[in-house]
Each structure stands twice: as C-alpha cells, then as structure tokens.
Amino acid sequence: MKRPDLDRASIAPELRRLERRLMLKGAISLGGLAMLSGCTLDDEPAVERALARVMSLTDRAQALLFSRHRLAREFDAARITRPFPFNAYYGQEDVRTVDPAGWRLEVSGLVADRRPWSLAQFRALPQKRQITRHICVEGWSAIGCWSGVPLSVFLHHVGADLRAKYVDFHCFDDYSTSIDMATALHPQTIMVLDFDDTALPAAYGAPMKIRIPTKLGYKNPKYLAAISVTNRFPGGYWEDQGYDWFGGS
Amino acid sequence: MPRPRRTPARVIRITHWIGALSMLVMIGSGWQIYNASPILPFTFPPWLTLGGWLAGGIAWHFAAMWVLMGAGIVYGTYGVVSGHFRRDLRLRGMGAIGRDMGLALRFRLSHTPGHYNAVQRLLYTGVLIVACLTVASGLSIWKPVQLGWLCWLFGGYDLARRIHFTMMALIVGFLVVHVVLALLVPSTLFGMVFGRRPAPHDPEAVR
Ligand code: HEM
C-alpha cells in the first residue's frame, strides 16, 4: 500500500496558526518583571485577554483621533530617502514578481461591479502624487515619493458601499491587511503605480501597492492581488499575530 | 486639638505606587520597542525587557500608558486643588538647595513627616516635568500625523524619538537616586506606604 505524500501546502495554514500561538505566548512573557517576582505570566490566558482588550480600547481611541481632513505632511523632493529601504516579512531575495500585462486586481464584497481591473484601467484614472514619510512600527522611518489613483476614486468607480466598515487587501506574497472605511476615503490614501515617477519596482511592491501616510508601514500592503469591501472584521498578517489593528500614525 | 492627618495624603500614596509600577512597565516595554530599531549603538539585554517581542512590548506599553495617565490625572488634579504642589513642592532658592544638598551628602539632613527639603522639592518637581515631557513626546511619535502640531513642537519625528528616549533616561536616573535615598531613610518608605502622623508641636510640620 502506498502512503499518500504529505502535502506541505495543505498543512501550511495549520502551521501558520501554530506559529502565531507561539508568538503570542512570547508576547506576554513578562521578561525581567517575571524574574523579579518569581512567577511567569507566559501561559496566563487572563493576561493575554486583558492585553487584547486594552489594545482594542487603544484602537478605539486611535479611530477617534483620526480625522478625514487632517493631512500627513508632504516634503520636498530633496528629502526623499535614497536608497529607500526594502522591507517585508521575508528577505529581498524572496521577492515575487508577476507579468504586469497579465496582472489583474480581483474586486469582491460589497461593490456593485466585481469585474477584475487591469493596470491600463488604473492608468486611465486621475493620478495623485505624494512625498510623505513612511513610519515603521519598529520606529525607523523613510521619506518616499509615490503616485497613483486615490482609493476613494476607485471605490466610487466600482460602486462600493461606502458605509461598509472595512476594506480588505490580499497580496500575492501571501501578505494581507485591512483598514477602516474612513481611512480608505482619506485623500492621501492611494493605489500606487509609480515610485519616484517611474513604474513601481519589484522591491517596492510591483505592480501595485497601497500607500496610506496616516498609517504605520504594516498597513501599507505591497504586491496587491485582491481588494474587498466588507463588514466582517478581516484582520491581517501582522494584526493576527498581535500588532494593533488600527495602526494609525 | 485634633490629631494631625497622616501624611502624605492617601491619594498621593496610592497614585504614587500605581504610577511607579506603571512607569516601570513603560520603561521595560519601552526598551523592548527600542530594541526593534535602536537609535544608539546598543540594545537593552532582553531579560530586562518586557513583552517578549515587539508586538508584546507595544501591548504592554499602551496598557501601562492608560494606567499612568489615569494616576497622573488624579495626582495632578489633587496636587493643584489641595494646594499640595504649592505648599510642599514649590522650589526653594539656590541657597536652600545648596545647604540641603551639603547636609544630605554628609547624611545630616533630617526628615520630618509632612515636609520636603529643598533637594527633594527640586527632584520631585523635576521628575514631574520630565514625566509630562515623556508623555507628550511619546504621544507625538505615536500620532505624528493626527497630533502633527505636537510632533512639530518636538522638532519632527526623528528628534521627538530622541527626546522621548532622553526623557526616559532622565527618569531612570531619578529612579536610581530616589530609590537609594528611600532605602537610606526607611521611615520615609514606610510613610509612603502607610502614611505618618506629623508630631503636633513640630515646628517643621506646620512650616
Ligand atoms: C519612576 C517611578 C517613580 C516616580 C516618577 C516617583 C516620583 C515621586 C514623587 C514625585 C514623589 C513626591 C510625591 C508627592 O508628595 O507629591 C515621590 C515620593 C516618594 N517616593 Fe517615589 N517615584 C517613583 C518610584 C519610587 C520607588 C520605586 C520607590 C521605592 C523605593 C519610591 C519611594 C518614594 C518615597 C519613600 C517617597 C516619599 C519621600 C518622603 O516622604 O520623604 N518611589 N516619588
């Protein structure tokens, strides 16, 4: 009798879940304080839950602080950070690429028109350019120049339900993140086609990334593959592991 | 004649210990966050940090932030309304500071319940100002867009980050001196936990 081959892809989600649990456990190791008091809160689900609850309180405060009319500061071209740093949850040698001519953005959820979009269609829409500061949750920051279609323009085009709560992004490098509708409609939230006035290079998310200068770096997905408008909380790659969901700056 | 009230006031004792604990959590988790992207050529030893990894550090930092802000608002309001700040923390002249510093260094400085000497006043007022600056610069790097004016006041994102770090260092410096002094004069430590009654006829107590 032949044993069926273990299919790595089929257990991948299971593995990822396991990894996340381990990470969350690490998150609540009390480090020095635990050593002082001689007890570990590592495996204390009550602490885990309490921290998560405070985090959602903090997220609510962030949403209250957010204003649709307040703009992130824009800079002169001379301030652009060169070279602009590469950053992803993997190394630069593992960057995935697609043929731009064959690329389509999948559109789903609470929208009237769910036909996929090509790059040419995006190029035909009005473009906006910004030189803004990208701030990473780790604390470093870099100034870059991005241009593309305001997300609000696109959402109007596809007849999205603008009263929906979330816009969800999925990427072909298996990254994902999601944002609140208020931020999605912010004038500086753009679907980027160009970096520094030339077509977005592979390292920075070709063929399309979402640039949101009012949010931290992990809320700015690259290598976009699909967009969805929804009322069901979508979470995201880092958010599911313990980073706060709102991630505003 | 009524017995004098215990000093420091219970509000001050409670908010002091809640504030001190949340401050320690903020420092430990802040070191965790710092380690993710250091601005100086060193990182903090992981066993001194809180949270296990960056996201855990952030979770602890913000949880402690709410507690510290709560304790700070209660303490600050009480300090102003009750006249405690004006009465007990108002700075003395350079002469008094120099004299008390000299006495303190020779271990001759007497401690009277309900009365802070000139050096204590300087240290406490200083650390309270530094704590306010820590919170403000922390808010400015948390919300450089929504609180853009605050970030601008601190000289922009990069400088604000360095100021936040420097304020932390000042608090740690204060903490070392503060704890050593408290351990040298254990009666004040007892007093900060349970409160003490000043002697009724002690001229220092009513000054
Ligand atoms: C970063 C944490 C801390 C800060 C910011 C801080 C700050 C202060 C301040 C502002 C006061 C004056 C309170 C008032 O009357 O309004 C004070 C008093 C005091 N603190 Fe702390 N403290 C901290 C941690 C500690 C620790 C860990 C200890 C214990 C070793 C301690 C022991 C005391 C004592 C004994 C007094 C009263 C001194 C006296 O009555 O002569 N503090 N502290």
Side-chain angles (χ1 to χ4, degrees):
Chain A
M1 211 168 78
K2 206 170 146 253
R3 249 177 54 209
D5 284 335
L6 187 60
D7 177 7
R8 270 196 72 80
S10 72
I11 61 161
E14 207 68 46
L15 273 176
R16 237 191 334 263
R17 258 198 300 280
L18 205 68
E19 241 166 63
R20 275 176 199 164
R21 275 215 58 80
L22 289 175
M23 289 250 232
L24 254 176
K25 279 193 179 168
I28 55 161
S29 102
L30 254 175
L33 213 62
M35 298 183 82
L36 282 177
S37 63
C39 72
T40 52
L41 292 176
D42 273 12
D43 293 311
E44 203 50 76
V47 175
E48 197 175 325
R49 270 200 307 275
L51 281 180
R53 211 164 310 134
V54 177
M55 185 114 70
S56 68
L57 173 74
T58 311
D59 267 7
R60 236 169 305 154
Q62 295 198 64
L64 280 177
L65 271 174
F66 177 81
S67 159
R68 204 180 279 189
H69 308 291
R70 211 169 291 127
L71 297 181
R73 187 176 155 203
E74 306 214 5
F75 297 86
D76 294 335
R79 298 282 307 272
I80 296 174
T81 308
R82 298 179 195 280
F84 191 86
F86 166 84
N87 192 54
Y89 69 93
Y90 44 79
Q92 191 160 356
E93 63 284 358
D94 292 327
V95 164
R96 280 167 250 185
T97 53
V98 289
D99 167 27
W103 177 87
R104 294 289 180 276
L105 182 71
E106 305 289 336
V107 184
S108 66
L110 304 171
V111 294
D113 184 352
R114 295 186 186 162
R115 277 174 298 181
W117 277 54
S118 71
L119 278 179
Q121 283 172 285
F122 282 107
R123 291 272 175 207
L125 288 182
Q127 313 278 311
K128 257 177 109 173
R129 181 172 180 274
Q130 60 171 265
I131 301 177
T132 50
R133 187 189 291 274
H134 169 108
I135 297 177
C136 179
V137 66
E138 292 175 349
W140 56 267
S141 71
I143 296 172
C145 172
W146 295 271
S147 22
V149 180
L151 182 55
S152 65
V153 170
F154 172 79
L155 289 176
H156 280 107
H157 254 271
V158 296
D161 178 359
L162 302 182
R163 291 158 314 168
K165 284 192 190 147
Y166 310 109
V167 178
D168 185 19
F169 304 106
H170 281 261
C171 311
F172 58 78
D173 64 349
D174 294 329
Y175 190 74
S176 62
T177 188
S178 56
I179 60 172
D180 51 299
M181 183 59 82
T183 300
L185 298 176
H186 187 277
Q188 288 174 313
T189 299
I190 60 176
M191 309 173 89
V192 174
L193 301 166
D194 293 323
F195 182 85
D196 219 0
D197 301 323
T198 54
L200 197 62
Y204 302 152
M208 176 177 277
K209 81 165 252 152
I210 302 290
R211 172 69 190 138
I212 312 176
T214 56
K215 286 210 189 282
L216 293 172
Y218 65 91
K219 307 298 289 185
N220 289 240
K222 305 185 284 280
Y223 315 106
L224 207 62
I227 183 172
S228 177
V229 177
T230 176
N231 279 317
R232 204 161 348 112
F233 180 71
Y237 179 86
W238 286 117
E239 295 88 333
D240 296 350
Q241 297 176 44
Y243 284 92
D244 63 292
W245 176 77
F246 196 88
S249 57
Chain B
M1 192 177 150
R3 284 215 293 166
R5 297 176 128 244
R6 283 177 185 273
T7 177
R10 186 180 294 152
V11 188
I12 292 182
R13 281 180 270 137
I14 293 174
T15 52
H16 173 268
W17 291 115
I18 294 176
L21 183 67
S22 54
M23 194 65 102
L24 286 176
V25 171
M26 298 224 64
I27 292 169
S29 55
W31 290 358
Q32 178 77 252
I33 298 171
Y34 168 91
N35 281 357
S37 175
I39 47 176
L40 293 171
F42 70 87
T43 56
F44 294 96
W47 62 271
L48 269 176
T49 67
L50 206 59
W53 69 307
L54 176 59
I58 293 172
W60 279 104
H61 208 61
F62 282 105
M65 176 195 77
W66 290 109
V67 177
L68 184 67
M69 293 246 280
I73 288 169
V74 173
Y75 172 80
T77 309
Y78 176 86
V80 170
V81 171
S82 71
H84 164 66
F85 285 167
R86 197 166 11 84
R87 196 173 51 241
D88 303 322
L89 293 187
R90 193 173 49 213
L91 295 182
R92 293 289 163 85
M94 289 309 288
I97 292 174
R99 187 197 64 213
D100 284 358
M101 185 77 86
L103 288 172
L105 290 177
R106 280 176 281 134
F107 298 103
R108 296 251 177 79
L109 193 57
S110 68
H111 279 264
T112 324
H115 174 74
Y116 292 142
N117 62 58
V119 178
Q120 277 180 305
R121 288 165 187 252
L122 183 68
L123 282 175
Y124 296 157
T125 305
V127 80
L128 290 174
I129 292 170
V130 167
C132 290
L133 286 174
T134 316
V135 171
S137 58
L139 286 173
S140 87
I141 51 180
W142 179 42
K143 292 281 154 220
V145 178
Q146 307 307 331
L147 302 179
W149 57 273
L150 193 58
C151 195
W152 176 84
L153 273 181
F154 283 111
Y157 182 78
D158 286 323
L159 192 58
R161 235 193 120 191
R162 282 164 172 76
I163 291 174
H164 191 59
F165 184 91
T166 308
M167 294 301 119
M168 175 281 295
L170 289 175
I171 289 178
V172 171
F174 163 85
L175 194 57
V176 171
V177 174
H178 187 57
V179 170
V180 167
L181 290 179
L183 294 180
L184 281 177
V185 192
S187 62
T188 62
L189 197 52
F190 177 87
M192 204 54 183
V193 177
F194 301 105
R196 285 181 296 174
R197 296 190 199 282
H201 300 298
D202 186 346
E204 287 279 314
V206 293
R207 204 168 68 188

